Amino acid sequence: MGKVPPPQFFYAHTDVPVRRLAQEVVGPSAHFTASSVGSEGIDAEVSVLANLGEPLVDKGGKDWDRIGDAVHTYLGLPLASLPEATASEAAERILDRWNAGTVLSAEVLVEIGRRWTEWIDTTFPDAEVLTEQPIAWRNDGEQVMEGWIDTLLKLPTGDHVLVDHKTYPGTDPISHIRENYLGQLETYSQALERATNRRAPRLIVHLPLLGTIAEVKVTGLSSWI
């Protein structure tokens, strides 16, 4: 009795001649992230809106993205309703999870949260604080953007304040925002304006490690995504 040939996958063989694929057409991506949009072509006024206290770090370091993840995670908690002991315990767990304890301490995270919630209470006392809000948008070029807004303050008027937390540790936050984040903020702004059918939101950049809050006012778009 002869050997039985091994089974062959259905698509393992075909008698259809192999043809050279047509030259790939390069064009705009069907999907994009807001953070990938640069600042080129966007004119904006960027100014310090508030100083929350002394800087909490004096420089960056290796694997700084872990620090950003830890701070974003903590600020995503319902901090206004957390007892102090619970907030401290949460800060410890977050630092351990992101291996960020060599740069930040639980006390620093708790102080970041205290400064932030006090500023909101003082500046927007009746705002509804919404954290980690999903957002999706299709632009005029039929590209789809999906992302997350760090914090959205919904005002009693129905208008919004869009907040992006940035863990920039340097000494020139205004230039850093202007060079790196205008595209991201304007993308979120247009997406939120379309989703809510309201006027464009105020754009705030919270720099918790510097104790600084900056506001961005877009004044013109000469070219964009």
Side-chain angles (χ1 to χ4, degrees):
M1 184 174 179
K3 293 184 178 180
V4 178
Q8 293 184 338
F9 183 60
F10 179 76
Y11 292 105
H13 172 77
T14 175
D15 57 1
V16 177
V18 176
R19 298 181 179 179
R20 185 182 300 274
L21 296 176
Q23 184 175 1
E24 182 180 0
V25 178
V26 178
S29 173
H31 292 80
F32 70 100
T33 60
S35 60
S36 69
V37 181
S39 296
E40 298 81 7
I42 302 177
D43 297 322
E45 298 175 0
V46 184
S47 59
V48 173
L49 186 63
N51 288 304
L52 306 184
E54 292 297 318
L56 298 173
V57 300
D58 56 3
K59 61 182 179 179
K62 184 180 178 182
D63 299 323
W64 196 251
D65 56 327
R66 295 205 305 266
I67 307 304
D69 289 334
V71 172
H72 277 78
T73 301
Y74 186 73
L75 290 174
L77 299 176
L79 297 175
S81 62
L82 291 185
E84 185 176 344
T86 305
S88 181
E89 183 180 335
E92 292 279 8
R93 291 201 306 267
I94 289 169
L95 291 175
D96 183 63
R97 172 186 175 187
W98 293 109
N99 193 25
T102 58
V103 176
L104 301 177
S105 66
E107 291 76 17
V108 167
L109 271 188
V110 170
E111 175 64 9
I112 285 172
R114 184 193 65 78
R115 290 178 175 187
W116 176 234
T117 54
E118 285 186 358
W119 182 80
I120 294 175
D121 289 343
T122 301
T123 313
F124 304 105
D126 298 316
E128 182 181 2
V129 182
L130 307 170
T131 61
E132 298 297 327
Q133 295 296 293
I135 186 78
W137 174 58
R138 185 186 300 272
N139 66 15
D140 293 337
E142 297 300 313
Q143 295 174 289
V144 175
M145 183 280 298
E146 295 179 339
W148 298 83
I149 295 172
D150 289 343
T151 299
L152 199 59
L153 305 179
K154 186 175 181 181
L155 308 182
T157 60
D159 293 328
H160 296 84
V161 179
L162 191 156
V163 180
D164 204 52
H165 305 300
K166 298 297 184 186
T167 50
Y168 169 73
T171 58
D172 190 4
I174 299 303
S175 294
H176 186 74
I177 291 169
R178 188 182 300 280
E179 293 169 5
N180 295 279
Y181 304 132
L182 298 185
Q184 178 182 10
L185 292 168
E186 179 59 17
T187 300
Y188 282 147
S189 176
Q190 292 210 22
L192 188 61
E193 186 178 7
R194 182 78 60 85
T196 61
N197 199 29
R198 305 283 300 191
R199 63 183 178 181
R202 289 182 68 179
L203 302 176
I204 301 296
V205 179
H206 174 214
L207 301 134
L209 301 184
L210 297 184
T212 301
I213 293 178
E215 183 165 15
V216 175
K217 297 180 180 179
V218 175
T219 58
L221 300 172
S222 57
S223 63
W224 202 43
I225 53 175

